[in-house]
Amino acid sequence: MSMVPKNDETNLEANSATKKKRGINIQGYQIEGLSIAGQETCIIVPSLNLAFDIGRCPQRAISQDFLFISHGHMDHIGGLPMYVATRGLFSMKPPTIFVPKAIKEDVERLFDVHRAMDQSELKNNLVGLDVGEEFYIRRDLKVKAFKTYHVIPSQGYVIYSVKHKLKQDYIGLPGHEIKALKDKGVEITTATTSPEIAFTGDTTADFIVDPANVDVLRAKILVMEVVKYAEKFLNKAILLIHFSARYYVEGISFMSFLISRASELGYCHVSGMANGNTRGTWGF
Ligand SMILES: [Zn+2]
């Protein structure tokens, strides 16, 4: 029989469960991070090994191999040198960092300045991705940048799952024949893609009515900060971020819960949940 009082036992269990599963589970994805307007935004999806934006480099972001930066405002990019430096310190492989093409040279210069100051290598693969461009981060996972509307160059990212299926013509062929075709360079599979997670960064609602952004509105999960044109969203869940620090944390959590049920509810009224005088942080 355990000597630990029941309450403590329960607490221990709760603590270890908390340690194992941080963040919130939305549509099968565990999502962690924090977002406080003007201070820091970092949204982490550990199962996909990636993070969006890095205002101050939370510890949990360091182990993600892929990082997507939406724009150059400090609360979205301030933690970047620390992220790269810490991975170097822990002998982790150089991360792959995606930035809007317009700021790629500036980001390179930023690393050069840090290298000059501390004589570290700051190894990383920096990818300047333009709106509409795609990049495979895994055979079954690709990213596409989309246009957002902010006061400086900015973009969002859609992460797609990619499934490769044998073309109809080759179904039923023996394995060695399929291999022979493959060796000859014949394209024997077709790829079907599905938008899983979209992240907007800072933007006005204009991105919603941009016809090029249709996949953003039908991604399983949309992480964004604006709610407008509610009827246009086909997402299964919407995670609202980037609240001002003046909002109640309880209010925001509740709002997030409501929004995560957006597809069931059909419509979410989200105004009137904030309290203007109490400070809170938005971490999950
Ligand atoms: Zn911004």
Side-chain angles (χ1 to χ4, degrees), residues 257-269:
F257 170 73
L258 274 182
I259 295 294
S260 76
R261 296 181 60 225
S263 61
E264 293 161 46
L265 296 172
Y267 171 72
C268 291
H269 183 72

Side-chain angles (χ1 to χ4, degrees), residues 38 70-76 150-152 154 201-203 225 242:
S70 64
H71 64 295
H73 276 155
M74 192 66 91
D75 55 329
H76 293 257
H150 199 28
V151 291
I152 59 171
S154 69
D202 293 351
T203 179
E225 58 163 314
H242 212 254

Side-chain angles (χ1 to χ4, degrees), residues 196-209:
E196 296 291 311
I197 302 180
F199 172 80
T200 66
D202 293 351
T203 179
T204 65
D206 292 331
F207 84 94
I208 301 165
V209 286

Side-chain angles (χ1 to χ4, degrees), residues 231-242:
E231 74 286 357
K232 294 206 180 286
F233 295 104
L234 303 172
N235 314 90
K236 288 203 163 63
I238 295 170
L239 180 59
L240 287 176
I241 60 163
H242 212 254

